[in-house]
Amino acid sequence: MSIPSPLIVREVGLRDGLQSITRVVPTADKLQWLQAAYGTGLREIEVGSFVPARLLPQLADTAELVAAALRLPGLITSVLVPNLKGAQAALDSGAHRMLLPLSASRAHSLANLRRRPDEVVAEVGRIRAARDAAGSRCLIEVGISTAFGCTIQGAVAEGEVLRLVQAVLDAGAEHVGLADTVGFANPLQVARLFERGLSIAGHRLNCGHFHDTRGLGLANVYAAWQAGVRRFDASMGGIGGCPHAPGASGNVATEDVAWLFAGMGVPTGLKFEALMALRGRVAGWVGGEPLHGAIWRAGLPRTLQEIE
Ligand code: ZN
């Protein structure tokens, strides 16, 4: 194998993770969480979402989190935005990146966003115009969810996902990622869809977002990596379970993704001891919510030298 390219893990626990937890974590705890996550070597963190506070009180302090994240040297501060209004808040906040979700499943899109996928594509164009008018350098990323299947619609045609990849880039998004938030994807499907996507979008398709709902999270990360993806979302302790399936595991766990790539000799810059310490603190902050992931059960091998 040639020299491995650096791998980026974007920590999404403070957004995707907390979004499904009803107990509101105090801002002071989140600020400690952010600082500790930075201390583990994470250099891209999704710190919140600019959704109306009445819909998601858990993330009402996103602007404060962004301000704190911007003070950490070398950290890429990412936020989720549901629409143009959220994007304007993101521009005002000074975040480096905004992520707009688009559901490839028409049924899921109508149920969750009350918009057809192509209406979201049009919103990308409006967000790009607003970003350019503001003279901001905030990067626009679209996360295509239900790219591998949908709980409402069932199968989602690969051709439709690829059409949307091209459409959001044409509309002004700079980056695009594929997400399996429902745990439907399998590794062969992931490899195939990313290979096809990379052939049309090149390096602009650069994020894999996988949930471990049915145990295939890490296998799917590996398949996407084999296809050429070098950036993955993950959450500490695998939080981010589905609100419709209580107890279901959530995002792939950051510490497990770090373990996967360390074992393969792919540098991530993440420090295991710090990740494990943070996991313990996250357990306290989310107050009894179940954590997931595998590496914590066995712990780190005693004979482990230095595999960061
Ligand atoms: Zn997710």
Side-chain angles (χ1 to χ4, degrees), residues 43-69:
R43 286 299 174 266
E44 184 169 350
I45 301 179
E46 188 178 60
V47 300
S49 174
F50 283 112
V51 288
R54 68 186 153 75
L55 294 182
L56 213 47
Q58 176 71 276
L59 303 179
D61 53 4
T62 293
E64 218 175 322
L65 268 289
V66 171

Side-chain angles (χ1 to χ4, degrees), residues 261-273:
F261 286 109
M264 300 196 297
V266 179
T268 61
L270 298 174
K271 302 176 190 75
F272 274 105
E273 300 293 350

Side-chain angles (χ1 to χ4, degrees), residues 9-61:
V9 177
R10 170 168 54 186
E11 170 63 35
V12 300
L14 283 161
R15 196 280 305 170
D16 197 336
L18 289 182
Q19 190 171 313
S20 59
I21 291 173
T22 42
R23 176 181 183 269
V24 174
V25 176
T27 306
D29 289 350
K30 289 192 197 175
L31 291 171
Q32 284 191 47
W33 183 336
L34 172 69
Q35 186 75 45
Y38 180 76
T40 68
L42 286 159
R43 286 299 174 266
E44 184 169 350
I45 301 179
E46 188 178 60
V47 300
S49 174
F50 283 112
V51 288
R54 68 186 153 75
L55 294 182
L56 213 47
Q58 176 71 276
L59 303 179
D61 53 4

Side-chain angles (χ1 to χ4, degrees), residues 225-288:
W225 179 78
Q226 283 280 35
V229 181
R230 294 294 179 266
R231 183 161 159 268
F232 294 95
D233 287 345
S235 74
M236 286 302 311
I239 58 172
C242 175
H244 308 297
S249 48
N251 290 276
V252 287
T254 307
E255 58 275 26
D256 288 3
V257 173
W259 175 255
L260 169 69
F261 286 109
M264 300 196 297
V266 179
T268 61
L270 298 174
K271 302 176 190 75
F272 274 105
E273 300 293 350
L275 286 173
M276 300 302 265
L278 174 55
R279 186 194 157 92
R281 296 176 75 190
V282 167
W285 288 322
V286 299

Side-chain angles (χ1 to χ4, degrees), residues 60-150:
D61 53 4
T62 293
E64 218 175 322
L65 268 289
V66 171
L70 292 175
R71 288 193 290 271
L72 299 171
L75 179 70
I76 295 170
T77 303
S78 181
V79 287
L80 189 131
V81 299
N83 49 31
L84 177 62
K85 193 159 185 245
Q88 262 146 358
L91 293 172
D92 292 343
S93 77
H96 299 119
R97 283 175 169 263
M98 57 170 103
L99 177 83
L100 179 78
L102 182 159
S103 187
S105 152
R106 186 186 162 91
H108 185 268
S109 188
L110 288 170
N112 282 297
L113 310 169
R114 291 189 203 87
R115 285 178 164 180
R116 286 178 288 109
D118 283 298
E119 291 178 89
V120 180
V121 172
E123 190 82 339
V124 173
R126 289 187 282 271
I127 290 172
R128 175 62 185 259
R131 195 280 308 267
D132 291 350
S136 163
R137 295 172 66 185
C138 184
L139 190 136
I140 301 166
E141 178 175 354
V142 172
I144 300 187
S145 63
T146 61
F148 303 93
C150 166

Side-chain angles (χ1 to χ4, degrees), residues 12 15-16 180-181 209-211 240 251:
V12 300
R15 196 280 305 170
D16 197 336
D180 176 31
T181 54
H209 180 108
F210 297 105
H211 282 228
N251 290 276

